[in-house]
Amino acid sequence: MRPDTPADHITEAERLLRTAAQYPEDREPLLLQAAAHLELADARARATTLYDDLLAATPPPENPHLIKALKAANLWEYGHEAEARAIIDGLRAASPSDAAAWEIIAETLETHDELESSEATFSTAVTTLLPSPDDEVPYPSQSLLMGRHRVRRLLGLPHDDWDVLADRLHRGAVPLDELHDPKRLWSLGSSDPAELQAEIARLRSELGSYRTALSRPFPVAVLLWPAGELDELLAAYPELESEYPTHAAHLTDIEASLRELSAAGTPNLGIVQGTVPSYEAFAASESTSPANASLLPQYATTLAARGRATPWPPARTSPCWCGSEAAYGECHGTAEV
């Protein structure tokens, strides 16, 4: 059940902080989740402290741009506008390669009615991360196109090639132009039941995917054993050979399972990589033997909850998830797999 009240969010944040202390190798994603819950509980100063702790950590965080963007958004919400603007200016100058950092600062500007700056930030992000509207758009960058489309509609700007691409990528039942129509705001103040009902239908269409994502705080993950780890696992626990007859079959099964889940409409899919020492430690924590095959999906779920999942599918031109040097579209991303 998702936390609903400020007290629930504080409780969840404290649980995540304890988990981070138990698994220091996963400290960064766990503290980011804890900070998000603190923000929802309006404990924004505590959230800022977590962001500062991450930025000052040794070794440095894996994604400092994302952390800075989250910190800026949080600061602005509780009255530290000047500091937030300074961070945003620094991030735009740094030109991060992470779509999420761009999106957060652009939406922060949008939220505070800085629409021209927001549109400029979205546009810079899109042209930085996507050289051409004709190129394949990685999933994380698609939301940049949607956000840019929304802000440009609010500003009354004409469609350009990027807006056309956003329209093409949009999969909702309600067209993107209608979802982002500024006149929708007027409907919210209408006393006409028909207008209000129509607006409710639009909002449901727009928020449906977000509701699903919020109800699943971590990906549905499939467990990947690298070749060396699988050899070590089977040498120690031959009972698992029926699960993994060969490494090639294991990789094929992963892709097939993920495609099946995707075809069934399951969102937020990912892959987690197992290691024998980590798996043995998990089995010990569950007071059972690593030879117990029913433990494998639980282990995958635990790794995903600790922020260890890699999103699936990768872009067709990106390296395949299996670890080969081939592009995904030429490896496990082929239609025959």
Side-chain angles (χ1 to χ4, degrees):
M1 185 175 180
R2 294 202 307 271
D4 261 342
T5 68
D8 290 338
H9 285 293
I10 292 292
T11 298
E12 182 63 11
E14 298 293 353
R15 185 190 68 79
L16 289 163
L17 291 171
R18 291 193 299 271
T19 305
Q22 185 178 3
Y23 300 103
E25 68 274 22
D26 298 325
R27 184 172 181 268
E28 184 173 334
L30 290 168
L31 260 59
L32 287 176
Q33 292 178 54
H37 282 287
L38 290 172
E39 289 189 31
L40 290 168
D42 206 28
R44 294 189 174 275
R46 281 191 67 190
T48 295
T49 299
L50 287 186
Y51 295 136
D52 287 338
D53 288 349
L54 282 167
L55 290 169
T58 303
E62 292 182 6
N63 199 337
H65 292 138
L66 174 63
I67 298 169
K68 289 179 181 179
L70 291 167
K71 179 183 175 182
N74 181 53
L75 284 168
W76 203 326
E77 286 299 319
Y78 74 111
H80 296 266
E81 178 183 339
E83 187 176 354
R85 285 183 180 276
I87 294 172
I88 288 172
D89 289 344
L91 284 170
R92 288 195 293 199
S95 192
S97 59
D98 176 31
W102 281 110
E103 185 172 9
I104 290 166
I105 60 174
E107 288 188 346
T108 298
L109 292 163
E110 178 189 359
T111 298
H112 295 282
D113 295 325
E114 302 276 346
L115 295 181
E116 289 83 1
S117 294
S118 176
E119 193 276 336
T121 301
F122 271 124
S123 294
T124 301
V126 166
T127 54
T128 298
L129 301 181
L130 303 172
S132 165
D134 298 325
D135 290 342
E136 182 180 3
V137 182
Y139 183 77
S141 297
Q142 292 183 18
S143 57
L144 288 173
L145 289 168
M146 305 305 169
R148 181 180 182 276
H149 185 288
R150 179 182 62 248
V151 172
R152 287 173 62 82
R153 288 285 280 133
L154 289 170
L155 289 169
L157 297 175
H159 270 30
D160 60 10
D161 290 344
W162 296 110
D163 291 320
V164 172
L165 178 58
D167 287 329
R168 190 166 72 243
L169 292 171
H170 177 62
R171 294 291 182 265
V174 178
L176 205 57
D177 271 350
E178 187 175 346
L179 284 176
H180 295 163
D181 186 350
K183 293 180 181 179
R184 291 173 58 209
L185 299 176
W186 305 344
S187 299
L188 294 174
S190 173
S191 59
D192 184 340
E195 287 186 3
L196 289 173
Q197 194 65 37
E199 181 58 21
I200 289 171
R202 294 187 188 100
L203 289 171
R204 281 177 175 165
S205 173
E206 188 174 15
L207 297 176
S209 59
Y210 294 111
R211 186 183 300 113
T212 301
L214 285 171
S215 68
R216 183 177 290 115
F218 47 85
V220 174
V222 176
L223 182 60
L224 164 65
W225 294 100
E229 294 289 339
L230 185 59
D231 289 344
E232 183 179 343
L233 178 75
L234 297 180
Y237 310 104
E239 300 90 339
L240 297 176
E241 288 181 357
S242 60
E243 299 288 326
Y244 307 112
T246 67
H247 188 253
H250 169 49
L251 299 181
T252 300
D253 286 346
I254 289 174
E255 181 70 22
S257 297
L258 288 165
R259 291 191 185 193
E260 184 176 343
L261 288 167
S262 179
T266 305
N268 200 17
L269 297 172
I271 296 173
V272 289
Q273 186 166 303
T275 67
V276 174
S278 169
Y279 179 57
E280 290 175 334
F282 177 72
S285 72
E286 295 293 314
S287 301
T288 189
S289 167
N292 181 0
S294 65
L295 195 65
L296 295 166
Q298 298 177 46
Y299 175 54
T301 299
T302 300
L303 291 177
R306 288 164 53 191
R308 306 299 291 271
T310 300
W312 179 94
R316 294 187 61 80
T317 54
S318 296
C320 188
W321 54 262
C322 71
S324 72
E325 296 182 358
Y328 173 63
E330 300 173 356
C331 190
H332 284 89
T334 60
E336 291 79 13
V337 173

